[in-house]
Amino acid sequence: QVQLVESGGGLVQAGGSLRLSCAASGRTFSGYNMGWFRQAPGKEREFVAAVTKIGESTYYTDSVKGRFTISRDKAKTTLYLQMNSLKPEDTAVYYCAAGEKNWATVPRDYDRWGQGIQVTVSS
């Protein structure tokens, strides 16, 4: 089973950038649909972006299109989320997740989760 560990979060001003990383251990991401989710205080966990296990297509929630980019390295051991033009409403705990369902966008379709990392965007 793959274990996931996020890094790269922190505090940034509005308009700034951060890059999140998600490192796999135990096995590679091969065979998994890999995604990023986020959860703000008092809100449900929401889908942000993902890369499919077949074809490695990427897809995003509308609110981050054009600002965030998901990618993974060729060895399929690290997943990234490049976040540009950050807004205060992007403030949340961000989670890396792995699942077997292709094109998945809901948390129940992912069965491996990282511990989460805080991203705070100040106005």
Side-chain angles (χ1 to χ4, degrees):
Q1 300 290 352
V2 64
Q3 288 81 46
L4 307 172
V5 179
E6 301 97 337
S7 62
L11 173 64
V12 64
Q13 288 188 331
S17 298
L18 282 174
R19 188 175 81 156
L20 303 183
S21 299
C22 173
S25 62
R27 58 165 289 178
T28 69
F29 296 147
S30 180
Y32 286 105
N33 201 77
M34 296 299 304
W36 288 98
F37 287 76
R38 64 187 180 187
Q39 188 166 18
K43 295 188 176 182
E44 293 186 351
R45 193 168 297 188
E46 65 170 355
F47 171 78
V48 176
V51 56
T52 60
K53 66 177 184 179
I54 300 173
E56 298 197 9
S57 298
T58 59
Y59 54 108
Y60 303 85
T61 191
D62 286 346
S63 63
V64 307
K65 285 181 181 176
R67 299 189 298 124
F68 291 12
T69 302
I70 188 171
S71 63
R72 58 184 178 186
D73 67 347
K74 290 185 178 181
K76 297 184 180 180
T77 59
T78 307
L79 182 74
Y80 302 100
L81 185 68
Q82 177 67 43
M83 304 185 294
N84 299 328
S85 302
L86 282 161
K87 304 176 181 180
E89 51 264 43
D90 294 317
T91 295
V93 176
Y94 283 70
Y95 297 88
C96 172
E100 297 187 7
K101 184 177 180 179
N102 223 19
W103 297 100
T105 60
V106 295
R108 66 174 179 270
D109 287 332
Y110 291 82
D111 53 11
R112 291 288 180 267
W113 293 86
Q115 81 285 357
I117 193 161
Q118 180 70 45
V119 171
T120 303
V121 184
S122 63
S123 58

